[in-house]
Amino acid sequence: EKNNIVFQKPANMTTVDSFFIYREGIVTDQYDLIAKLGANDFSAFTDTTSFPKQQAYNYKMAIKFKDATLSGMTTVHKTMHLQVSKGQTDAIWNLAWTPYLGINVATYEIYRGLDSLSLSYLSSVSGNFTTFTDNNAPSGAYYQVVILGTTCTPANGPLPAKLPQVLGGSYTEVKSNIDKIKDGSI
């Protein structure tokens, strides 16, 4: 229900004081500081003010060093926002999502299920495409788009309660919001 920002810390942390996380506001390329994590904090943050079902978000980070200087911001990481809309018949549904930015995407995997907690692999498209049509959709289906093949291992500090999936170690995928067929309407 909220965006999780997970990052790997630099190998050499001796000069690092903290990490700053920024999110683009309502003005293009204007980034607002939304979090400051200490050098010894766990390298993950839940953006509790995000609404992934409503829109995609752009994030950047910077490092504050012990000498009080601030690094430049990282390149942007843009989340995926999935939208499902009715096709030409009740069994045809169109999926469209914003492309993920910040890593090279080779493949988007599409998952579908009748329960938002039990999604199964449906199909894949090249990382060059951000649309898919399900020509045989069951009524009330849920969908999610996933990128596999990335690995990020957060480190140090106590585990945040809002990130239970990190208990196993590394993140190996990036996920969109989950969207559902709206029976009888678009």
Side-chain angles (χ1 to χ4, degrees), residues 113-139:
L114 295 177
D115 178 339
S116 65
L117 301 176
S118 299
L119 302 176
S120 300
Y121 174 81
L122 174 64
S123 190
S124 296
V125 297
S126 160
N128 289 324
F129 299 101
T130 57
T131 61
F132 177 81
T133 298
D134 187 352
N135 289 314
N136 195 20
S139 179

Short mmCIF file of all heavy atoms in Angstrom, two decimals, residues 113-139:
data_model
loop_
_atom_site.label_atom_id
_atom_site.label_comp_id
_atom_site.label_asym_id
_atom_site.label_seq_id
_atom_site.Cartn_x
_atom_site.Cartn_y
_atom_site.Cartn_z
N GLY A 113 -4.48 -12.83 -10.45
CA GLY A 113 -5.11 -13.74 -9.50
C GLY A 113 -6.48 -13.25 -9.10
O GLY A 113 -6.83 -12.09 -9.33
N LEU A 114 -7.23 -14.14 -8.48
CA LEU A 114 -8.57 -13.77 -8.00
C LEU A 114 -8.52 -13.23 -6.58
O LEU A 114 -9.52 -12.80 -6.03
CB LEU A 114 -9.51 -14.97 -8.08
CG LEU A 114 -9.78 -15.45 -9.51
CD1 LEU A 114 -10.67 -16.69 -9.51
CD2 LEU A 114 -10.41 -14.33 -10.34
N ASP A 115 -7.34 -13.25 -6.00
CA ASP A 115 -7.09 -12.73 -4.66
C ASP A 115 -5.80 -11.91 -4.74
O ASP A 115 -4.81 -12.38 -5.31
CB ASP A 115 -6.94 -13.91 -3.69
CG ASP A 115 -6.63 -13.52 -2.27
OD1 ASP A 115 -6.14 -12.39 -2.03
OD2 ASP A 115 -6.85 -14.34 -1.39
N SER A 116 -5.79 -10.73 -4.19
CA SER A 116 -4.60 -9.87 -4.28
C SER A 116 -3.38 -10.46 -3.59
O SER A 116 -2.25 -10.06 -3.86
CB SER A 116 -4.90 -8.48 -3.71
OG SER A 116 -5.17 -8.56 -2.32
N LEU A 117 -3.58 -11.45 -2.73
CA LEU A 117 -2.47 -12.08 -2.02
C LEU A 117 -2.01 -13.37 -2.69
O LEU A 117 -1.05 -13.99 -2.24
CB LEU A 117 -2.86 -12.36 -0.56
CG LEU A 117 -3.26 -11.14 0.26
CD1 LEU A 117 -3.72 -11.54 1.65
CD2 LEU A 117 -2.10 -10.14 0.33
N SER A 118 -2.68 -13.79 -3.75
CA SER A 118 -2.35 -15.05 -4.43
C SER A 118 -2.28 -14.82 -5.94
O SER A 118 -3.11 -15.32 -6.70
CB SER A 118 -3.38 -16.12 -4.12
OG SER A 118 -3.42 -16.39 -2.76
N LEU A 119 -1.29 -14.06 -6.37
CA LEU A 119 -1.13 -13.79 -7.79
C LEU A 119 -0.20 -14.82 -8.41
O LEU A 119 0.78 -15.23 -7.79
CB LEU A 119 -0.57 -12.39 -8.00
CG LEU A 119 -1.39 -11.24 -7.40
CD1 LEU A 119 -0.67 -9.92 -7.59
CD2 LEU A 119 -2.77 -11.18 -8.01
N SER A 120 -0.50 -15.23 -9.64
CA SER A 120 0.31 -16.19 -10.37
C SER A 120 0.81 -15.57 -11.66
O SER A 120 0.15 -14.71 -12.25
CB SER A 120 -0.50 -17.44 -10.71
OG SER A 120 -0.97 -18.06 -9.55
N TYR A 121 1.95 -16.06 -12.11
CA TYR A 121 2.53 -15.57 -13.36
C TYR A 121 1.54 -15.77 -14.51
O TYR A 121 0.96 -16.84 -14.67
CB TYR A 121 3.84 -16.33 -13.65
CG TYR A 121 4.43 -15.99 -14.99
CD1 TYR A 121 5.17 -14.84 -15.18
CD2 TYR A 121 4.21 -16.83 -16.09
CE1 TYR A 121 5.71 -14.53 -16.42
CE2 TYR A 121 4.75 -16.53 -17.33
CZ TYR A 121 5.49 -15.38 -17.49
OH TYR A 121 6.01 -15.08 -18.72
N LEU A 122 1.37 -14.72 -15.33
CA LEU A 122 0.48 -14.78 -16.50
C LEU A 122 1.28 -14.71 -17.80
O LEU A 122 1.12 -15.52 -18.69
CB LEU A 122 -0.54 -13.65 -16.44
CG LEU A 122 -1.45 -13.48 -17.65
CD1 LEU A 122 -2.35 -14.71 -17.82
CD2 LEU A 122 -2.29 -12.21 -17.52
N SER A 123 2.17 -13.71 -17.90
CA SER A 123 2.91 -13.50 -19.14
C SER A 123 4.06 -12.53 -18.89
O SER A 123 4.19 -11.99 -17.80
CB SER A 123 1.96 -12.94 -20.21
OG SER A 123 2.58 -12.94 -21.48
N SER A 124 4.85 -12.28 -19.94
CA SER A 124 5.95 -11.33 -19.88
C SER A 124 5.97 -10.49 -21.15
O SER A 124 5.52 -10.93 -22.20
CB SER A 124 7.30 -12.05 -19.77
OG SER A 124 7.39 -12.77 -18.58
N VAL A 125 6.52 -9.28 -21.02
CA VAL A 125 6.77 -8.43 -22.18
C VAL A 125 8.17 -7.85 -22.04
O VAL A 125 8.71 -7.75 -20.95
CB VAL A 125 5.72 -7.29 -22.34
CG1 VAL A 125 4.33 -7.85 -22.57
CG2 VAL A 125 5.74 -6.34 -21.16
N SER A 126 8.73 -7.47 -23.15
CA SER A 126 10.05 -6.84 -23.17
C SER A 126 10.03 -5.57 -22.32
O SER A 126 9.00 -4.91 -22.18
CB SER A 126 10.39 -6.48 -24.62
OG SER A 126 11.40 -5.50 -24.68
N GLY A 127 11.18 -5.21 -21.80
CA GLY A 127 11.31 -3.97 -21.04
C GLY A 127 11.06 -2.73 -21.86
O GLY A 127 10.96 -1.63 -21.33
N ASN A 128 10.94 -2.88 -23.19
CA ASN A 128 10.62 -1.76 -24.07
C ASN A 128 9.14 -1.44 -24.12
O ASN A 128 8.75 -0.45 -24.73
CB ASN A 128 11.11 -2.05 -25.50
CG ASN A 128 12.61 -2.02 -25.60
OD1 ASN A 128 13.26 -1.22 -24.94
ND2 ASN A 128 13.17 -2.90 -26.41
N PHE A 129 8.30 -2.31 -23.53
CA PHE A 129 6.85 -2.13 -23.61
C PHE A 129 6.23 -1.95 -22.23
O PHE A 129 6.71 -2.52 -21.25
CB PHE A 129 6.20 -3.33 -24.32
CG PHE A 129 6.70 -3.49 -25.72
CD1 PHE A 129 7.67 -4.44 -26.02
CD2 PHE A 129 6.23 -2.69 -26.75
CE1 PHE A 129 8.16 -4.58 -27.32
CE2 PHE A 129 6.70 -2.82 -28.04
CZ PHE A 129 7.67 -3.77 -28.32
N THR A 130 5.17 -1.19 -22.17
CA THR A 130 4.48 -0.93 -20.90
C THR A 130 2.98 -1.12 -21.01
O THR A 130 2.21 -0.45 -20.32
CB THR A 130 4.81 0.48 -20.37
OG1 THR A 130 4.43 1.43 -21.38
CG2 THR A 130 6.28 0.62 -20.04
N THR A 131 2.57 -2.01 -21.91
CA THR A 131 1.15 -2.35 -22.05
C THR A 131 1.01 -3.84 -22.28
O THR A 131 1.92 -4.50 -22.78
CB THR A 131 0.47 -1.60 -23.22
OG1 THR A 131 1.12 -1.96 -24.44
CG2 THR A 131 0.52 -0.10 -23.01
N PHE A 132 -0.16 -4.36 -21.94
CA PHE A 132 -0.48 -5.77 -22.15
C PHE A 132 -1.99 -5.91 -22.15
O PHE A 132 -2.67 -5.25 -21.36
CB PHE A 132 0.12 -6.63 -21.04
CG PHE A 132 -0.20 -8.09 -21.15
CD1 PHE A 132 0.51 -8.93 -22.01
CD2 PHE A 132 -1.23 -8.64 -20.40
CE1 PHE A 132 0.21 -10.27 -22.12
CE2 PHE A 132 -1.54 -9.99 -20.50
CZ PHE A 132 -0.82 -10.81 -21.36
N THR A 133 -2.53 -6.75 -23.01
CA THR A 133 -3.96 -7.02 -23.03
C THR A 133 -4.20 -8.47 -22.64
O THR A 133 -3.64 -9.38 -23.24
CB THR A 133 -4.56 -6.74 -24.42
OG1 THR A 133 -4.37 -5.35 -24.73
CG2 THR A 133 -6.04 -7.07 -24.46
N ASP A 134 -5.03 -8.65 -21.62
CA ASP A 134 -5.45 -9.98 -21.19
C ASP A 134 -6.75 -10.27 -21.93
O ASP A 134 -7.78 -9.69 -21.64
CB ASP A 134 -5.65 -10.02 -19.68
CG ASP A 134 -5.93 -11.42 -19.16
OD1 ASP A 134 -6.11 -12.34 -19.98
OD2 ASP A 134 -5.97 -11.58 -17.92
N ASN A 135 -6.67 -11.18 -22.90
CA ASN A 135 -7.83 -11.50 -23.75
C ASN A 135 -8.78 -12.53 -23.15
O ASN A 135 -9.80 -12.85 -23.75
CB ASN A 135 -7.35 -12.00 -25.12
CG ASN A 135 -6.74 -10.89 -25.93
OD1 ASN A 135 -7.30 -9.80 -26.02
ND2 ASN A 135 -5.57 -11.14 -26.48
N ASN A 136 -8.43 -13.06 -21.97
CA ASN A 136 -9.27 -14.07 -21.34
C ASN A 136 -9.29 -13.86 -19.83
O ASN A 136 -8.98 -14.77 -19.06
CB ASN A 136 -8.74 -15.47 -21.70
CG ASN A 136 -9.73 -16.55 -21.40
OD1 ASN A 136 -10.93 -16.29 -21.28
ND2 ASN A 136 -9.26 -17.76 -21.25
N ALA A 137 -9.65 -12.68 -19.42
CA ALA A 137 -9.59 -12.31 -18.01
C ALA A 137 -10.79 -12.84 -17.23
O ALA A 137 -11.93 -12.67 -17.66
CB ALA A 137 -9.55 -10.79 -17.87
N PRO A 138 -10.55 -13.49 -16.10
CA PRO A 138 -11.67 -13.89 -15.25
C PRO A 138 -12.26 -12.68 -14.54
O PRO A 138 -11.56 -11.70 -14.28
CB PRO A 138 -11.03 -14.86 -14.25
CG PRO A 138 -9.60 -14.44 -14.19
CD PRO A 138 -9.26 -13.89 -15.55
N SER A 139 -13.51 -12.73 -14.24
CA SER A 139 -14.18 -11.63 -13.54
C SER A 139 -13.53 -11.39 -12.18
O SER A 139 -13.24 -12.33 -11.44
CB SER A 139 -15.65 -11.98 -13.36
OG SER A 139 -16.31 -10.94 -12.68
#
